[in-house]
Amino acid sequence: MIDGRHKPVLLVGLVAALALVVACRPGTSSRTSTSLHPPAAAPRYDPSRDLGALFQDVQLSGIFPDSKTFVDARPLLAPAEIVTRYASSRDSPGFSLQAFVDRYFELPPSGPAGEAFRTDTSQTMEQHIRALWPALTRVPPPDTANAGSLIPLPEPYVVPGGRFREIYYWDSYFTMLGLIESGRSELVRSMLDNFAYLVRTVGHVPNGNRTYYLGRSQPPFFAAMVGLYAAATDTTQALRYLDALETEHAFWMDGVERLTPGEAYRRVVMLRDGSVLNRYWDDRPAPRPESYREDYELGQTLPAARREAFYRNVRATGESGWDFSSRWMRDPKDLRTLETTDLVPVDLNSLLYHAERMISALRASRGRSGDAEVAKRFAQAAEGRRRALLVAAYDPLGGFFYDVRWRTGERVTDRSTLAAAAPLYFGLATPEQGRAVAARLERDFLKPGGFVTTLITSGQQWDAPNGWPPLEWLAIEGVRRYGRADLAAAARDRWLALNRRTYRSTGRMMEKYDVVDPHRRAGGGEYATQDGFGWTNGVALALAAQGR
């Protein structure tokens, strides 16, 4: 049986107030007053669009080792004027691209976010994290007229740290776990208000509050954040976000009414049996501006006819948050074989199931005219999604959840990943399935430092030997929910021991950790391992509090 004594914190208060059943194929998106199309706004500065040839020349020149540096730079003149001056001077004798950029752009700080913070290792890890929150908090700027690529937000928010100087969508849920534990519920509310503002003004929650992220979102944890905040404060507070939740859901379901079996449109797919599930996507089939050189150069090794699909898959993988991992690659050694848009991810659909149940519960609780009908529709959508996902993604022989190739219905059984914990965390799995998945996680994924992300060592950062805080939390609380408190405690203790050991030796909380060899620094991926670090801090505080 599911262990009801250890309900995930995201639902506890909301369940009590709204009578939402603990557990956690939509037909059509809700016909409500919410609109998928945001209000018209003044065009925002987008460096890849507004700088023309200058953008590509800078990004491919290598003058900035990190492609993110230039897209985060603020133009000091109108972009059109800078482009004109570049065109007239680029062929002049002695022209220096570096000098031109230095003259016409204000570069972001060279150091990481929070670098001014000085660690005192005589403090405990928990004391260190609580002291670090102010260093990672950003407040609305006094002047938003020229914010560069940054999308100004109306309320304070927490950034992850390192090279990540803006808010990130799914990071924020795990950061919020620690903010709640630190008694900072007001900051959680501010961050929720910011996400609702983004939904209202751009139509969805983007990957981060940068214009170059507007083509994609990230794992949709907004409903989980609302539940977390409501449980920690007052369950009625969740109702203030109902419109934003429904608008975000409509964003993910856009185009569902046009589908026939075996088709997909943007983020929604219809399987051959007629059931509807979701995938990751990005509307812009071009190199990511923040990783332009890496994407462009790799794309050039492909035939021209294949580049658009490759760029789309690269960006869709960015929306998944797992950029990059063998999870998405036909050949784990070749990033060019990404097939992300061909896959139905088990974790994404678990999140949307939870969002549908949350919307249903909030509609039922509010009780206005028409709410009961909408509540019923979302409840049916959630149940249809749950049934479809269990049929499509669960392998009864292996006792595990897998991503699914939506065109054929084939489960990707050769690439087991920690994403299988999501149906446990959100309560989709049956008791039998939950026990089977927990046993597999214990046998194959539990390592000396915690749960490993995948069983493949590819050199990508979302693969072995790395463990990541958000996935540790989902897996630990997921197996706890299905009666494996012993496994949850073992994984928690190993992960916290690794966090503490690294903190004592470096004075830092890291973005990710090597869980196979806890004495080795994590690596892999496109950039060096970052420290700060928002979601690590949040998960560490929440897990440490369980031992008190």
Side-chain angles (χ1 to χ4, degrees):
M1 295 295 293
I2 298 174
D3 188 350
R5 296 170 299 169
H6 295 95
K7 300 172 186 175
V9 68
L10 81 165
L11 283 175
V12 174
L14 210 57
V15 170
L18 306 179
L20 184 61
V21 175
V22 178
C24 279
R25 163 184 75 89
T28 60
S29 54
S30 169
R31 298 189 189 95
T32 70
S33 60
T34 58
S35 171
L36 189 60
H37 304 288
R44 297 181 175 91
Y45 167 67
D46 183 334
S48 63
R49 179 196 65 205
D50 296 340
L51 297 180
L54 173 60
F55 174 78
Q56 185 177 63
D57 290 349
V58 171
Q59 293 295 63
L60 296 182
S61 70
I63 61 175
F64 299 116
D66 186 346
S67 293
K68 194 174 185 300
T69 302
F70 187 54
V71 293
D72 287 358
R74 188 174 67 88
L76 299 176
L77 296 177
E81 177 64 21
I82 294 175
V83 168
T84 299
R85 296 190 183 194
Y86 180 64
S88 64
S89 62
R90 61 187 295 186
D91 295 326
S92 303
F95 175 80
S96 167
L97 184 60
Q98 178 76 69
F100 184 90
V101 170
D102 289 343
R103 180 177 182 181
Y104 291 111
F105 293 86
E106 178 185 309
L107 299 180
S110 58
E115 69 169 337
F117 182 84
R118 293 293 174 260
T119 298
D120 177 3
T121 52
S122 68
Q123 293 183 319
T124 66
M125 179 185 73
E126 292 87 339
Q127 290 171 329
H128 167 78
I129 292 172
R130 290 188 174 92
L132 190 57
W133 290 132
L136 296 177
T137 300
R138 300 293 176 267
V139 298
D143 179 15
T144 61
N146 183 12
S149 63
L150 188 71
I151 301 172
L153 298 175
E155 301 292 338
Y157 56 90
V158 176
V159 302
R163 70 197 283 269
F164 303 110
R165 308 175 187 93
E166 49 282 311
I167 200 169
Y168 282 81
Y169 182 7
W170 79 307
D171 294 57
S172 296
Y173 173 66
F174 303 95
T175 299
M176 289 174 180
L177 295 170
L179 291 173
I180 293 294
E181 187 58 38
S182 301
R184 301 294 304 275
S185 61
E186 81 291 342
L187 187 50
V188 172
R189 174 166 171 161
S190 293
M191 293 168 71
L192 284 171
D193 287 348
N194 284 332
F195 288 135
Y197 167 81
L198 287 167
V199 170
R200 188 169 64 251
T201 56
V202 304
H204 67 284
V205 182
N207 184 314
N209 61 318
R210 293 279 182 181
T211 57
Y212 53 78
Y213 285 144
L214 286 175
R216 63 185 184 265
S217 185
Q218 270 195 332
F221 271 88
F222 187 42
M225 296 176 193
V226 170
L228 175 67
Y229 175 68
T233 55
D234 176 351
T235 54
T236 62
Q237 293 298 316
L239 285 169
R240 65 188 276 113
Y241 302 107
L242 177 56
D243 285 347
L245 287 167
E246 292 191 18
T247 301
E248 184 190 40
H249 184 267
F251 164 80
W252 284 94
M253 300 307 297
D254 181 35
V256 65
E257 68 284 344
R258 71 185 347 180
L259 296 181
T260 59
E263 289 186 343
Y265 177 76
R266 298 187 77 207
R267 291 166 176 82
V268 64
V269 303
M270 182 174 285
L271 303 186
R272 292 186 299 179
D273 65 2
S275 58
V276 176
L277 293 168
N278 287 80
R279 65 175 176 175
Y280 290 115
W281 182 254
D282 189 299
D283 292 328
R284 304 176 183 180
R288 294 166 297 160
E290 76 281 9
S291 299
Y292 188 87
R293 184 176 66 255
E294 296 88 342
D295 291 356
Y296 178 86
E297 291 178 349
L298 191 54
Q300 290 300 300
T301 68
L302 291 167
R306 293 176 54 193
R307 289 173 194 163
E308 182 174 309
F310 167 70
Y311 294 140
R312 178 95 66 192
N313 276 298
V314 166
R315 285 171 170 258
T317 310
E319 183 167 86
S320 80
W322 292 44
D323 44 340
F324 293 99
S325 169
S326 60
R327 175 185 183 184
W328 313 114
M329 297 153 62
R330 284 275 188 170
D331 179 354
K333 297 183 178 65
D334 190 350
L335 193 60
R336 298 175 302 175
T337 66
L338 287 169
E339 59 171 344
T340 312
T341 60
D342 291 328
L343 300 179
V344 169
V346 64
D347 45 359
L348 170 60
N349 285 280
S350 297
L351 280 158
L352 290 171
Y353 163 83
H354 173 65
E356 288 158 352
R357 288 184 61 83
M358 175 73 77
I359 293 168
S360 175
L362 291 175
R363 280 280 195 163
S365 174
R366 191 172 65 175
R368 295 180 185 171
S369 175
D371 277 347
E373 177 187 352
V374 176
K376 181 179 179 180
R377 187 159 63 245
F378 272 98
Q380 291 172 341
E383 181 58 19
R385 184 184 297 275
R386 186 188 73 84
R387 291 177 179 174
L389 190 65
L390 295 190
V391 169
Y394 185 73
D395 176 23
L397 295 178
F400 211 64
F401 286 98
Y402 296 95
D403 297 331
V404 178
R405 293 188 176 101
W406 59 265
R407 298 178 196 273
T408 64
E410 175 190 10
R411 300 185 191 106
V412 189
T413 56
D414 61 332
R415 304 200 295 267
S416 304
T417 80
L418 207 51
L424 278 63
Y425 186 75
F426 290 105
L428 281 80
T430 67
E432 180 183 7
Q433 291 168 343
R435 288 192 295 268
V437 171
R440 279 285 303 278
L441 293 178
E442 181 176 33
R443 186 188 76 196
D444 296 339
F445 287 81
L446 185 60
K447 305 299 179 183
F451 287 115
V452 71
T453 305
T454 74
L455 306 181
I456 296 174
T457 304
S458 68
Q460 301 298 335
Q461 63 174 352
W462 288 85
D463 275 326
N466 292 341
W468 289 78
L471 304 184
E472 301 299 321
W473 177 259
L474 295 182
I476 289 169
E477 295 307 300
V479 300
R480 185 194 309 282
R481 184 170 195 170
Y482 282 78
R484 290 300 309 275
D486 59 326
L487 176 56
R492 178 197 66 209
D493 292 347
R494 294 184 189 192
W495 178 254
L496 285 176
L498 176 54
N499 290 174
R500 295 186 198 281
R501 182 186 305 115
T502 304
Y503 168 68
R504 286 194 299 268
S505 63
T506 67
R508 298 174 176 178
M509 304 298 293
M510 309 306 294
E511 176 190 26
K512 56 185 180 284
Y513 294 81
D514 186 325
V515 297
V516 176
D517 182 352
H519 299 283
R520 183 171 58 197
R521 184 185 177 99
E526 299 178 295
Y527 56 84
T529 298
Q530 304 295 297
D531 66 86
F533 197 87
W535 61 18
T536 309
N537 301 341
V539 170
L541 285 184
L543 290 177
Q546 294 176 354
R548 292 205 298 265

Short mmCIF file of all heavy atoms in Angstrom, two decimals, residues 477-509:
data_model
loop_
_atom_site.label_atom_id
_atom_site.label_comp_id
_atom_site.label_asym_id
_atom_site.label_seq_id
_atom_site.Cartn_x
_atom_site.Cartn_y
_atom_site.Cartn_z
N GLU A 477 11.59 10.97 -2.19
CA GLU A 477 10.21 11.12 -1.73
C GLU A 477 9.27 10.19 -2.49
O GLU A 477 8.24 9.77 -1.97
CB GLU A 477 9.77 12.57 -1.88
CG GLU A 477 10.54 13.52 -0.96
CD GLU A 477 10.51 13.08 0.49
OE1 GLU A 477 9.40 12.98 1.06
OE2 GLU A 477 11.58 12.80 1.05
N GLY A 478 9.63 9.85 -3.72
CA GLY A 478 8.81 8.91 -4.48
C GLY A 478 8.80 7.52 -3.88
O GLY A 478 7.74 6.91 -3.70
N VAL A 479 9.97 7.00 -3.54
CA VAL A 479 10.00 5.65 -2.95
C VAL A 479 9.41 5.66 -1.55
O VAL A 479 8.80 4.67 -1.12
CB VAL A 479 11.43 5.06 -2.96
CG1 VAL A 479 11.96 4.96 -4.38
CG2 VAL A 479 12.39 5.85 -2.08
N ARG A 480 9.57 6.78 -0.84
CA ARG A 480 8.94 6.88 0.49
C ARG A 480 7.42 6.78 0.37
O ARG A 480 6.77 6.13 1.17
CB ARG A 480 9.32 8.21 1.15
CG ARG A 480 8.81 8.34 2.58
CD ARG A 480 8.88 9.77 3.09
NE ARG A 480 10.17 10.39 2.91
CZ ARG A 480 11.24 10.15 3.68
NH1 ARG A 480 11.14 9.29 4.67
NH2 ARG A 480 12.38 10.76 3.45
N ARG A 481 6.88 7.39 -0.64
CA ARG A 481 5.44 7.40 -0.83
C ARG A 481 4.88 6.00 -1.06
O ARG A 481 3.73 5.72 -0.73
CB ARG A 481 5.09 8.29 -2.02
CG ARG A 481 3.61 8.46 -2.26
CD ARG A 481 3.34 9.54 -3.29
NE ARG A 481 1.94 9.91 -3.25
CZ ARG A 481 1.42 10.95 -3.87
NH1 ARG A 481 2.20 11.72 -4.59
NH2 ARG A 481 0.13 11.22 -3.79
N TYR A 482 5.71 5.12 -1.58
CA TYR A 482 5.27 3.75 -1.88
C TYR A 482 5.82 2.74 -0.87
O TYR A 482 6.08 1.60 -1.20
CB TYR A 482 5.63 3.39 -3.32
CG TYR A 482 4.66 4.02 -4.30
CD1 TYR A 482 4.77 5.36 -4.63
CD2 TYR A 482 3.59 3.29 -4.82
CE1 TYR A 482 3.87 5.96 -5.50
CE2 TYR A 482 2.68 3.89 -5.69
CZ TYR A 482 2.82 5.22 -6.01
OH TYR A 482 1.91 5.81 -6.86
N GLY A 483 5.98 3.21 0.36
CA GLY A 483 6.27 2.31 1.46
C GLY A 483 7.72 1.97 1.71
O GLY A 483 8.02 1.16 2.57
N ARG A 484 8.66 2.59 0.96
CA ARG A 484 10.07 2.26 1.12
C ARG A 484 10.79 3.36 1.90
O ARG A 484 11.73 3.99 1.43
CB ARG A 484 10.71 2.05 -0.23
CG ARG A 484 10.28 0.78 -0.95
CD ARG A 484 10.61 -0.50 -0.15
NE ARG A 484 11.99 -0.54 0.27
CZ ARG A 484 13.00 -0.98 -0.49
NH1 ARG A 484 12.74 -1.44 -1.71
NH2 ARG A 484 14.23 -1.00 -0.03
N ALA A 485 10.35 3.58 3.13
CA ALA A 485 11.00 4.58 3.98
C ALA A 485 12.45 4.21 4.24
O ALA A 485 13.30 5.09 4.42
CB ALA A 485 10.24 4.72 5.30
N ASP A 486 12.75 2.91 4.25
CA ASP A 486 14.13 2.49 4.47
C ASP A 486 15.04 2.92 3.33
O ASP A 486 16.14 3.44 3.54
CB ASP A 486 14.19 0.96 4.63
CG ASP A 486 13.65 0.22 3.40
OD1 ASP A 486 12.69 0.72 2.76
OD2 ASP A 486 14.18 -0.85 3.08
N LEU A 487 14.58 2.74 2.11
CA LEU A 487 15.35 3.15 0.94
C LEU A 487 15.47 4.67 0.89
O LEU A 487 16.55 5.20 0.57
CB LEU A 487 14.69 2.62 -0.33
CG LEU A 487 15.32 3.02 -1.66
CD1 LEU A 487 16.79 2.63 -1.73
CD2 LEU A 487 14.53 2.39 -2.82
N ALA A 488 14.40 5.36 1.20
CA ALA A 488 14.43 6.82 1.21
C ALA A 488 15.46 7.33 2.21
O ALA A 488 16.24 8.24 1.91
CB ALA A 488 13.05 7.37 1.55
N ALA A 489 15.50 6.72 3.38
CA ALA A 489 16.44 7.16 4.41
C ALA A 489 17.88 6.87 3.99
O ALA A 489 18.78 7.69 4.21
CB ALA A 489 16.14 6.47 5.73
N ALA A 490 18.10 5.71 3.38
CA ALA A 490 19.46 5.37 2.94
C ALA A 490 19.96 6.34 1.88
O ALA A 490 21.09 6.84 1.94
CB ALA A 490 19.49 3.94 2.40
N ALA A 491 19.11 6.64 0.90
CA ALA A 491 19.50 7.57 -0.17
C ALA A 491 19.70 8.98 0.38
O ALA A 491 20.65 9.67 0.01
CB ALA A 491 18.46 7.57 -1.27
N ARG A 492 18.80 9.40 1.26
CA ARG A 492 18.93 10.73 1.87
C ARG A 492 20.23 10.85 2.63
O ARG A 492 20.97 11.84 2.48
CB ARG A 492 17.76 10.97 2.81
CG ARG A 492 17.81 12.32 3.54
CD ARG A 492 16.88 12.31 4.74
NE ARG A 492 17.34 11.37 5.74
CZ ARG A 492 16.54 10.73 6.61
NH1 ARG A 492 15.23 10.91 6.56
NH2 ARG A 492 17.04 9.90 7.50
N ASP A 493 20.56 9.87 3.44
CA ASP A 493 21.77 9.94 4.25
C ASP A 493 23.02 9.98 3.38
O ASP A 493 23.97 10.72 3.67
CB ASP A 493 21.83 8.77 5.21
CG ASP A 493 20.75 8.83 6.29
OD1 ASP A 493 20.12 9.90 6.43
OD2 ASP A 493 20.53 7.81 6.97
N ARG A 494 23.03 9.22 2.30
CA ARG A 494 24.20 9.21 1.42
C ARG A 494 24.35 10.55 0.71
O ARG A 494 25.47 11.07 0.57
CB ARG A 494 24.08 8.07 0.40
CG ARG A 494 24.13 6.69 1.02
CD ARG A 494 24.09 5.60 -0.05
NE ARG A 494 23.92 4.28 0.53
CZ ARG A 494 24.08 3.14 -0.12
NH1 ARG A 494 24.41 3.17 -1.41
NH2 ARG A 494 23.90 1.97 0.48
N TRP A 495 23.24 11.10 0.24
CA TRP A 495 23.29 12.37 -0.47
C TRP A 495 23.71 13.50 0.46
O TRP A 495 24.59 14.31 0.11
CB TRP A 495 21.92 12.67 -1.07
CG TRP A 495 21.84 13.99 -1.79
CD1 TRP A 495 21.22 15.12 -1.36
CD2 TRP A 495 22.39 14.30 -3.08
NE1 TRP A 495 21.35 16.12 -2.28
CE2 TRP A 495 22.06 15.65 -3.35
CE3 TRP A 495 23.13 13.58 -4.00
CZ2 TRP A 495 22.45 16.29 -4.53
CZ3 TRP A 495 23.51 14.22 -5.19
CH2 TRP A 495 23.17 15.55 -5.43
N LEU A 496 23.14 13.57 1.64
CA LEU A 496 23.52 14.62 2.58
C LEU A 496 24.96 14.49 3.04
O LEU A 496 25.66 15.50 3.22
CB LEU A 496 22.58 14.61 3.80
CG LEU A 496 21.18 15.16 3.56
CD1 LEU A 496 20.32 15.00 4.82
CD2 LEU A 496 21.22 16.64 3.16
N ALA A 497 25.43 13.25 3.20
CA ALA A 497 26.84 13.06 3.57
C ALA A 497 27.76 13.61 2.48
O ALA A 497 28.78 14.24 2.77
CB ALA A 497 27.12 11.58 3.81
N LEU A 498 27.38 13.40 1.22
CA LEU A 498 28.16 13.92 0.11
C LEU A 498 28.11 15.45 0.08
O LEU A 498 29.13 16.13 -0.12
CB LEU A 498 27.63 13.34 -1.20
CG LEU A 498 28.25 13.84 -2.50
CD1 LEU A 498 29.76 13.67 -2.51
CD2 LEU A 498 27.63 13.09 -3.69
N ASN A 499 26.93 16.02 0.29
CA ASN A 499 26.80 17.48 0.36
C ASN A 499 27.68 18.06 1.45
O ASN A 499 28.41 19.05 1.24
CB ASN A 499 25.35 17.88 0.64
CG ASN A 499 24.39 17.63 -0.50
OD1 ASN A 499 23.18 17.81 -0.35
ND2 ASN A 499 24.88 17.22 -1.66
N ARG A 500 27.64 17.44 2.63
CA ARG A 500 28.39 17.97 3.78
C ARG A 500 29.89 17.83 3.55
O ARG A 500 30.66 18.75 3.87
CB ARG A 500 27.97 17.25 5.05
CG ARG A 500 26.53 17.49 5.46
CD ARG A 500 26.25 16.84 6.82
NE ARG A 500 24.83 16.67 7.06
CZ ARG A 500 23.99 17.62 7.46
NH1 ARG A 500 24.46 18.85 7.62
NH2 ARG A 500 22.72 17.35 7.65
N ARG A 501 30.31 16.70 3.02
CA ARG A 501 31.73 16.48 2.79
C ARG A 501 32.28 17.51 1.79
O ARG A 501 33.35 18.09 2.00
CB ARG A 501 31.97 15.07 2.26
CG ARG A 501 33.45 14.74 2.03
CD ARG A 501 33.64 13.38 1.37
NE ARG A 501 32.99 12.32 2.10
CZ ARG A 501 31.98 11.59 1.64
NH1 ARG A 501 31.50 11.82 0.42
NH2 ARG A 501 31.45 10.63 2.36
N THR A 502 31.53 17.74 0.74
CA THR A 502 31.97 18.71 -0.27
C THR A 502 31.97 20.13 0.31
O THR A 502 32.89 20.91 0.04
CB THR A 502 31.05 18.65 -1.50
OG1 THR A 502 31.03 17.31 -2.01
CG2 THR A 502 31.53 19.59 -2.59
N TYR A 503 30.98 20.44 1.10
CA TYR A 503 30.94 21.76 1.73
C TYR A 503 32.13 21.97 2.66
O TYR A 503 32.78 23.03 2.63
CB TYR A 503 29.63 21.95 2.49
CG TYR A 503 29.65 23.16 3.39
CD1 TYR A 503 29.69 24.45 2.86
CD2 TYR A 503 29.67 23.02 4.78
CE1 TYR A 503 29.73 25.56 3.69
CE2 TYR A 503 29.72 24.13 5.61
CZ TYR A 503 29.75 25.39 5.06
OH TYR A 503 29.82 26.50 5.87
N ARG A 504 32.43 20.97 3.45
CA ARG A 504 33.56 21.12 4.38
C ARG A 504 34.88 21.30 3.65
O ARG A 504 35.76 22.03 4.09
CB ARG A 504 33.64 19.90 5.31
CG ARG A 504 32.57 19.86 6.40
CD ARG A 504 32.90 18.84 7.47
NE ARG A 504 32.98 17.49 6.92
CZ ARG A 504 31.96 16.64 6.88
NH1 ARG A 504 30.77 17.02 7.33
NH2 ARG A 504 32.12 15.42 6.39
N SER A 505 35.04 20.62 2.52
CA SER A 505 36.33 20.68 1.82
C SER A 505 36.45 21.87 0.87
O SER A 505 37.56 22.31 0.57
CB SER A 505 36.55 19.37 1.03
OG SER A 505 35.56 19.20 0.03
N THR A 506 35.29 22.39 0.39
CA THR A 506 35.35 23.47 -0.60
C THR A 506 34.65 24.75 -0.14
O THR A 506 34.88 25.82 -0.74
CB THR A 506 34.70 23.03 -1.92
OG1 THR A 506 33.29 22.86 -1.72
CG2 THR A 506 35.32 21.75 -2.45
N GLY A 507 33.78 24.65 0.86
CA GLY A 507 32.99 25.81 1.26
C GLY A 507 31.85 26.10 0.31
O GLY A 507 31.27 27.19 0.36
N ARG A 508 31.50 25.15 -0.55
CA ARG A 508 30.52 25.40 -1.60
C ARG A 508 29.44 24.32 -1.65
O ARG A 508 29.67 23.18 -1.26
CB ARG A 508 31.22 25.46 -2.96
CG ARG A 508 32.23 26.59 -3.10
CD ARG A 508 32.96 26.49 -4.41
NE ARG A 508 33.88 27.61 -4.61
CZ ARG A 508 34.67 27.75 -5.66
NH1 ARG A 508 34.67 26.82 -6.61
NH2 ARG A 508 35.46 28.80 -5.77
N MET A 509 28.30 24.75 -2.18
CA MET A 509 27.23 23.83 -2.55
C MET A 509 27.24 23.76 -4.06
O MET A 509 27.15 24.79 -4.74
CB MET A 509 25.88 24.31 -2.03
CG MET A 509 25.82 24.56 -0.53
SD MET A 509 26.11 23.07 0.45
CE MET A 509 24.66 22.10 0.04
#
